[in-house]
Amino acid sequence: MSKFLLALCRIFFASMVIGAGFAHSAETQRDIAISNDGDYFGFDLRTEKDVDLGVCETICLSDKKCRAFTYNSKVQWCFLKTDFGKLKSAPGSIAGKVIEVASSEDLGAPEPLPFAANYVDAAAQYRTTILAAQTVDGASNSELIAAAQNAESAGDNRNAAFRFGQAIAANPDAAELWSGLARSTLGIAPSADESYTLQQSALSAAINAYQTSRTLEERSVALAVLGQAFDRASDGRATIDAYQASLELRASAEIEASLRDARARYGFRMLGNTIDADAETPRACVQFSEDLTDANYTNFVRLDDAVPQALTAQGREICVDGLKHGSRYRLTLRAGLPSVVGENLNEPVVLNLFVRDRAANVRFNADNFVLPGSARRGIPLVSVNATSAKIDVYRVGDRSLTQILDESQFLQQVDGYSVERIKKSVGEPVWQGEVALKNVLNAEVITSIDVDTILPQRKPGIYVMTAALAGSANEQYETKATQWFVVSDVGLTTFTGEDGMSVFARSLETAKPIANVVLKLLARNNEVLAEAVTDTEGKAVFVAGLTRGQEGLAPAIITAANGADDFVFLDLTRAGFDLSDRGVTGRPAAGELDVLAWTERGIYRAGETVHAQALVRDIGAKAVDDLPLVF
């Protein structure tokens, strides 16, 4: 006999056993329990229209699929239900549920469990697998259940799980059998490669036990074993929620003990603490296992037995600011400190903290990169607890600028690999030495590095200065304190319109136009697209066609040279002042016509009149008349 025919025979025989096991259910007495002003929401079977309440009851009792109904007396509609859940208030409606003598304690369909939502689909698939894989081999329903229970009592959990699976195949909606399958699966001593599979199987079996439960006893037991399964899977919050839900249905000293143990291991608690000692003003932070509420946490935190002067509570962290370097503190978290999960800190926590001195470091804090071409030129270096710094200066020539910009290195902190590339490929080292630093314990000291001293003569291009603690051994992958800079008195401004791109050169010192500045427009591929020289108004124009290049020919940089030693450039790939992250992205330049329209206010109610005005201007900003406008 083929495997397919054998499977069909087994399914057929199993159906005979199931039918025999439940033949008595056809004679079970059914009655209706009525609840006025109520509704059993969901589980819709079908709707019977234009019937009275008595007919609605009769129809439900005669249909074995019907377990409840909601009757709308106003329109005389009877909504039949395949099951029922929690009764909801619905003034004017009449709710009824079927009561069977054998299940007089029927609670109806269980409510969904939010903490188990991610496992419901896997549980449904597991149920399908169990029902398809197990056979009953001619045994009666009572024999199958007895075999499973005997194996569990004997501690033979692997055999018990198999036997419970067989019993479930004959009785798939028996919650106590699903609970037994979950218990026995949890009791199996797993081999090295089946731990995860057994964990997930136990979870799925427990969820099926809950979903098939109809009585208080079945449901509380299912939730308890679900808590055990979540505990085995190390899902701490779900473990607590499952045990808590079980206790809400039925008191149990054993489950209460399990809940206390789970809360001690997984409940709201302090996880650790950190001290930010390298900040100018140190702070201490305490991390928790759950999110905090919007409560006033100054009532629960004490610093040296006093209320902290500066305290913030956000997310899962409480921080105390205003500490001092080299000081010791006693930070106390009082019992009762609340969390969003409704759990409080069970016991006070006392932390003895020491704020160490700041780690020695150096950094640059200037975001700009253009140094003035006149007056004293210095680059500020910020140091903490350091006596000297090693300084390296490199130059990237004007013809290599597009490579630096294209690789997004410009204005970024460089690491050892980037420095090596600058030295070997796109630039050259021009100065190296040490700079003495004033050291004030834990204070930030600013030292000006004189550019004229280290670079008495400069060439066109951009310079990059790196700083590190003298004597430190930085790894290649570690970033270095970095400052990009050029020295120039030329400030560039561009405007793009239909006639091309206009470039204006002005003195950064006097703001006056600078004539005879040589401008070059470079593409991304380093091609020189055009050259121009500013006039007496400091203006030069690149024709529109040059600004429309694509890919490698897209405009990237404008360089400006005023004599032999004054060089600067403008990066066209970056927005000079970008407000797009604040909802202000601007608009493309207008064409031959430009329309400016506005209303007298920004918000209107339905039915109100909108007063709109508009101005139309041509490319020369002159008014245009006799032009139809469509609003």
Side-chain angles (χ1 to χ4, degrees), residues 262-563:
R263 280 180 171 165
R265 291 181 291 115
Y266 302 122
F268 177 59
R269 63 202 184 281
M270 186 198 76
L271 296 180
N273 67 282
T274 56
I275 300 176
D276 185 5
D278 289 327
E280 186 174 2
T281 302
R283 68 187 325 212
C285 295
V286 182
Q287 294 79 36
F288 297 91
S289 60
E290 304 291 344
D291 288 339
L292 303 175
T293 68
D294 56 357
N296 182 8
Y297 281 92
T298 56
N299 298 327
F300 299 96
V301 181
R302 291 294 179 268
L303 185 65
D304 290 341
D305 299 323
V307 177
Q309 294 182 352
L311 182 145
T312 57
Q314 189 174 13
R316 298 187 175 188
E317 190 174 64
I318 290 178
C319 295
V320 176
D321 293 270
L323 307 183
K324 295 181 179 180
H325 294 99
S327 300
R328 296 184 181 276
Y329 297 92
R330 178 184 175 90
L331 183 64
T332 303
L333 307 175
R334 291 180 169 180
L337 188 147
S339 69
V340 296
V341 296
E343 296 179 11
N344 301 333
L345 205 60
N346 290 329
E347 298 178 353
V349 176
V350 179
L351 301 172
N352 294 309
L353 309 177
F354 173 71
V355 184
R356 60 169 176 79
D357 290 331
R358 301 174 73 176
N361 70 85
V362 292
R363 74 176 193 277
F364 298 102
N365 64 353
D367 294 329
N368 299 320
F369 66 94
V370 179
L371 290 174
S374 60
R376 185 174 183 270
R377 291 178 285 269
I379 295 179
L381 177 67
V382 182
S383 62
V384 176
N385 293 340
T387 57
S388 61
K390 179 186 176 184
I391 305 295
D392 292 276
V393 182
Y394 307 90
R395 172 184 166 270
V396 177
D398 55 337
R399 295 310 309 276
S400 299
L401 288 176
T402 54
Q403 297 181 51
I404 293 294
L405 295 177
D406 194 51
E407 295 172 2
S408 300
Q409 283 190 306
F410 180 55
L411 296 183
Q412 301 298 315
Q413 303 294 296
V414 300
D415 56 23
Y417 299 108
S418 300
V419 170
E420 287 298 318
R421 182 176 181 279
I422 290 174
K423 288 195 299 184
K424 296 180 179 179
S425 301
V426 297
E428 59 176 335
V430 294
W431 191 86
Q432 184 181 78
E434 288 192 8
V435 175
L437 306 173
K438 183 180 179 181
N439 186 10
V440 179
L441 183 62
N442 295 318
E444 293 187 350
V445 178
I446 299 179
T447 303
S448 179
I449 302 176
D450 191 348
V451 174
D452 291 332
T453 300
I454 63 177
L455 296 174
Q457 293 183 338
R458 292 178 295 277
K459 298 179 181 180
I462 189 168
Y463 293 87
V464 55
M465 178 183 293
T466 64
L469 292 172
S472 63
N474 286 41
E475 299 291 343
Q476 285 287 84
Y477 59 83
E478 293 180 335
T479 57
K480 301 174 179 291
T482 308
Q483 178 65 62
W484 298 79
F485 69 95
V486 294
V487 180
S488 177
D489 186 47
V490 179
L492 297 178
T493 306
T494 62
F495 295 92
T496 302
E498 289 295 314
D499 59 342
M501 180 168 58
S502 299
V503 184
F504 295 86
R506 289 182 175 273
S507 168
L508 294 176
E509 181 181 10
T510 66
K512 293 181 178 180
I514 305 177
N516 299 320
V517 176
V518 179
L519 305 176
K520 291 182 181 180
L521 180 62
L522 303 181
R524 286 184 178 274
N525 61 10
N526 214 27
E527 184 80 16
V528 179
L529 298 176
E531 295 187 15
V533 179
T534 59
D535 57 20
T536 56
E537 295 181 349
K539 178 183 177 182
V541 178
F542 292 105
V543 296
L546 296 173
T547 64
R548 296 169 183 162
Q550 301 293 324
E551 305 296 338
L553 291 177
I557 298 175
I558 293 177
T559 64
N562 186 21

Side-chain angles (χ1 to χ4, degrees), residues 18-350:
I18 294 172
F22 288 88
H24 69 280
S25 63
E27 302 175 357
T28 302
Q29 181 180 348
R30 289 159 56 89
D31 201 354
I32 297 290
I34 293 294
S35 299
N36 292 319
D37 297 326
D39 175 31
Y40 289 119
F41 184 78
F43 304 103
D44 291 330
L45 175 60
R46 68 179 185 276
T47 303
E48 298 289 344
K49 301 179 180 180
D50 300 323
V51 298
D52 60 24
L53 178 59
V55 174
C56 182
E57 293 183 19
T58 301
I59 294 174
C60 185
L61 287 173
S62 62
D63 189 339
K64 299 301 182 183
K65 296 180 180 179
C66 180
R67 304 186 70 167
F69 64 82
T70 296
Y71 182 74
N72 188 319
S73 55
K74 184 176 181 180
V75 298
Q76 293 188 317
W77 283 16
C78 178
F79 300 92
L80 303 178
K81 313 283 184 176
T82 59
D83 209 335
F84 58 91
K86 186 177 180 180
L87 183 66
K88 299 182 182 297
S89 175
S93 295
I94 299 174
K97 67 176 180 180
V98 175
I99 300 295
E100 298 180 353
V101 173
S103 58
S104 58
E105 298 180 0
D106 194 345
L107 299 177
E111 295 288 329
L113 298 174
F115 56 85
N118 293 334
Y119 302 90
V120 171
D121 291 342
Q125 180 62 40
Y126 181 73
R127 175 188 171 98
T128 302
T129 302
I130 288 293
L131 298 184
Q134 300 293 349
T135 58
V136 296
D137 296 332
S140 67
N141 192 28
S142 59
E143 290 174 341
L144 293 172
I145 296 174
Q149 292 174 340
N150 291 336
E152 184 182 19
S153 299
D156 188 359
N157 290 300
R158 195 175 291 273
N159 183 41
F162 173 74
R163 296 298 180 183
F164 274 118
Q166 285 188 318
I168 287 171
N171 192 2
D173 292 325
E176 67 274 11
L177 298 181
W178 284 107
S179 293
L181 176 59
R183 282 194 309 270
S184 56
T185 302
L186 288 171
I188 295 175
S191 60
D193 59 345
E194 63 179 358
S195 295
Y196 178 78
T197 301
L198 291 176
Q199 287 177 8
Q200 299 305 305
S201 296
L203 273 171
S204 295
I207 291 173
N208 280 296
Y210 173 77
Q211 291 178 335
T212 56
S213 64
R214 307 295 297 190
T215 67
L216 197 67
E217 175 72 16
E218 290 175 350
R219 196 158 297 171
S220 62
V221 169
L223 287 167
V225 74
L226 182 58
Q228 297 174 23
F230 276 127
D231 195 1
R232 180 67 59 84
S234 299
D235 191 336
R237 177 49 49 190
T239 301
I240 294 173
D241 289 342
Y243 283 144
Q244 183 65 49
S246 177
L247 287 174
E248 290 174 357
L249 294 176
R250 182 176 62 107
S252 168
E254 181 181 356
I255 302 304
E256 286 181 358
S258 298
L259 178 59
R260 286 194 299 270
D261 175 66
R263 280 180 171 165
R265 291 181 291 115
Y266 302 122
F268 177 59
R269 63 202 184 281
M270 186 198 76
L271 296 180
N273 67 282
T274 56
I275 300 176
D276 185 5
D278 289 327
E280 186 174 2
T281 302
R283 68 187 325 212
C285 295
V286 182
Q287 294 79 36
F288 297 91
S289 60
E290 304 291 344
D291 288 339
L292 303 175
T293 68
D294 56 357
N296 182 8
Y297 281 92
T298 56
N299 298 327
F300 299 96
V301 181
R302 291 294 179 268
L303 185 65
D304 290 341
D305 299 323
V307 177
Q309 294 182 352
L311 182 145
T312 57
Q314 189 174 13
R316 298 187 175 188
E317 190 174 64
I318 290 178
C319 295
V320 176
D321 293 270
L323 307 183
K324 295 181 179 180
H325 294 99
S327 300
R328 296 184 181 276
Y329 297 92
R330 178 184 175 90
L331 183 64
T332 303
L333 307 175
R334 291 180 169 180
L337 188 147
S339 69
V340 296
V341 296
E343 296 179 11
N344 301 333
L345 205 60
N346 290 329
E347 298 178 353
V349 176
V350 179

